[in-house]
Amino acid sequence: MTSDQKRARLALLMGMVAAWPLTGLAAAGLVQFTAGDVQLRRGDSLSRLAKGAELDGGDVVLTGTEGRAQIRFSDGGLVALYPDSQFTVTRYADGAGTGEDHFVVNLLRGGMRAITGLIGKRNPSSYKVITPTAVVGIRGSAFMLAIDANGKVLVSGEQDEIEVCTQAGCVGVTAGEAVLVLSDQELPVYSHTRALLPVPELPTPMLMGEQLDVQGRRAFVYIVPAPTPAPVPVAPPPPITAPPPPVPVAPPPPPTDDYQPPAPSTPPPPTRPTPPPPTTTAPPPATTTPPPPTVRPPFVFVPVLPIFILPPPPPPPVIR
């Protein structure tokens, strides 16, 4: 190996070593999608958040009444924010291979849908979403969370299981279940149904509830199912009895030698059928009509003239 090749390899190795610490200093997340009014609060400055912007620990994302945003974190996790939301990246550390994993975010209002990344798979206890009345931890990988205008928190599971905790204790929520947190002093209440929150199709997040309350503000609808009626006892079917065995039938006795065929019966003499009596039909009544009057033809007189017969003329003389 020549000296130039050695110097080139050494320069490449030094460049890789110099760039290695930068992976730990990379941004926590990258904005993949924004729509409507979306702003970023970083310290005392407030600016418009656009696609491609980077997020770090301590950044606050604010969405307006029609604002939506989607963030992909460095561990591959996704967070979709809905209108009227305030989302803060409280603490984030993607310590792949070092054990320093932290994903702690705060949702003060609005709603979000989250799909956990590698941090939630490597260390589920380090993944937390903090709300004013509850803390959401994960044992699975997907969930939805919404806060209404009265501060009630609705959490629904989408995959595997999550854990919702208050000061009164924690409850587990499996896929398809939902719980309602009324206050931080009460256990979450199961609603036993999916929340009426449309699931967004990534990378386009959708609005989590379009209902309005009496004051014209956005609200979320919770459904409490009706009590399940008691099952009606059903009488068991009658037992099936086997059919009785067939009764054997004795065969007819065999013919004997003194068997005589029965004598033929004499047919009765034929009887002549009696003709029916003749039916007499009365002639139709004669109708007497007077004869027509005799009309005598008129008399015509034809006169007769006398006829005279003359002798024939003599023959002409013969000249000799």
Side-chain angles (χ1 to χ4, degrees), residues 3-81:
S3 59
D4 294 338
Q5 292 176 344
K6 291 181 179 179
R7 284 195 295 269
R9 177 174 292 184
L10 181 60
L12 178 61
L13 181 61
M14 292 179 63
M16 294 175 60
V17 172
W20 179 263
L22 296 179
T23 58
L25 301 177
L30 185 69
V31 179
Q32 288 192 330
F33 173 84
T34 60
D37 182 17
V38 182
Q39 294 182 337
L40 171 65
R41 181 188 297 165
R42 179 172 292 171
D44 296 334
S45 64
L46 186 65
S47 61
R48 181 178 179 82
L49 186 63
K51 178 181 177 181
E54 295 181 349
L55 295 181
D56 293 321
D59 289 347
V60 181
V61 180
L62 304 170
T63 60
T65 56
E66 300 296 334
R68 301 175 179 86
Q70 179 176 294
I71 305 166
R72 176 180 288 276
F73 289 87
S74 62
D75 69 334
L78 289 173
V79 171
L81 298 178

Side-chain angles (χ1 to χ4, degrees), residues 215 285 310:
Q215 299 179 0
L310 299 179

Side-chain angles (χ1 to χ4, degrees), residues 234-307:
V234 180
I240 300 175
T241 58
V247 179
V249 179
T256 57
D257 296 339
D258 56 353
Y259 173 77
Q260 297 295 332
S265 58
T266 303
T271 58
R272 178 176 299 176
T274 303
T279 58
T280 58
T281 57
T287 56
T288 57
T289 56
T294 304
V295 178
R296 181 174 296 177
F299 178 77
V300 179
F301 175 77
V302 179
V304 179
L305 298 179
I307 298 173

